[in-house]
Amino acid sequence: MTQMFDVRKGLEYARADREAAWRFVRDFTHAWVQPLADGDGFTEEDLAAAGERLGVGLPSALGEMYRLLGRRPDLTSNHDRLLHPDQLYIDARGEALVFREENQGACSWGVLLKDLGQADPGVHVLSDLADRQAQRWEPWMEHLSWMVVEMVLAESLHAPQHLSDFLYEPDPEYTRIIEESCEQLPFPVYPARGFEGTRWFLGADVLLRDEEGCVPVRARTEEALEAVRALLPGDWLNG
């Protein structure tokens, strides 16, 4: 089946600026998930109330993201969780505005307070370590808009429906098979601890993320999902 939307080309353009990132999100959701619609985001009043409660100004990109898709949990909260505007908080260290949390509390994502004045600031991640003194806000994505692109793609892999699946402990040859059968997507290197080596691939109507030991997958059709299961034999969660 011919793809209606060229994911690779879209990603190449998406890093140009935040408008290009939002265009990618609209095009991807239209082709792979469910199109964005009026009412899928929060209102300007919701965001103003959050800023007033926190006593800080919200970056333009953060507000645009919430107005675009903040009420679409299928794009933001299948696995990790995008906080609603009334749940935004400043971390206990007083260093960052937190807007997303890992599903088991292993880490959280935020914008450093010193960067809140930027229109499209970088995003940092804070891992929940046993040694609290060793915790540091580490760089995650260079721009918040690019992080939203990554979030939408990542959450689509965990959609609770028949077009998603998860391969545990794949055959040792899985990396070679993926590299030979799929096209690696132009994602930046994940700099934070625990995400080293993560890569994204695009196959025939299928999106894969190689996480070194597991492979979450999202397909556009049942046929595409069955094909990737056959390509990568192993312990599929739903197969």
Side-chain angles (χ1 to χ4, degrees), residues 174-190:
Y174 85 97
T175 298
R176 177 188 60 78
I177 296 172
I178 290 177
E179 291 175 345
E180 292 179 353
S181 306
C182 303
E183 178 182 20
Q184 185 171 348
L185 292 174
F187 262 81
V189 174
Y190 288 81

Side-chain angles (χ1 to χ4, degrees), residues 50-79:
E52 183 175 355
R53 173 177 59 84
L54 294 166
V56 299
L58 303 183
S60 297
L62 188 65
E64 290 165 2
M65 180 268 291
Y66 274 114
R67 289 192 294 273
L68 180 66
L69 50 73
R71 293 184 181 275
R72 283 286 298 272
D74 60 318
L75 304 178
T76 66
S77 304
N78 289 321
H79 185 260

Side-chain angles (χ1 to χ4, degrees), residues 150 154 157 190 198-200 207-211 214-216:
E150 195 274 347
L157 299 174
Y190 288 81
T198 298
R199 298 181 299 168
W200 288 81
L207 184 68
L208 309 91
R209 188 165 72 175
D210 177 11
E211 301 180 0
C214 60
V215 184

Side-chain angles (χ1 to χ4, degrees), residues 21-109:
W22 307 147
R23 189 178 310 116
F24 174 89
V25 170
R26 291 188 183 94
D27 291 344
F28 176 79
T29 55
H30 186 274
W32 284 71
V33 191
Q34 179 180 337
L36 288 165
D38 293 342
D40 283 349
F42 288 94
T43 66
E44 191 64 54
E45 289 74 18
D46 295 325
L47 300 171
E52 183 175 355
R53 173 177 59 84
L54 294 166
V56 299
L58 303 183
S60 297
L62 188 65
E64 290 165 2
M65 180 268 291
Y66 274 114
R67 289 192 294 273
L68 180 66
L69 50 73
R71 293 184 181 275
R72 283 286 298 272
D74 60 318
L75 304 178
T76 66
S77 304
N78 289 321
H79 185 260
D80 301 323
R81 185 170 67 99
L82 178 69
L83 302 181
H84 286 193
D86 62 2
Q87 297 171 324
L88 294 172
Y89 66 92
I90 295 173
D91 73 302
R93 304 157 63 98
E95 296 176 346
L97 173 64
V98 179
F99 62 89
R100 189 179 183 218
E101 295 179 335
E102 198 270 341
N103 74 97
Q104 295 181 328
C107 64
S108 54
W109 290 267

Side-chain angles (χ1 to χ4, degrees), residues 153-170:
L153 292 176
E155 294 302 322
S156 75
L157 299 174
H158 297 278
Q161 58 167 278
H162 63 286
L163 293 179
S164 298
D165 209 342
F166 196 90
L167 177 61
Y168 291 98
E169 299 181 356

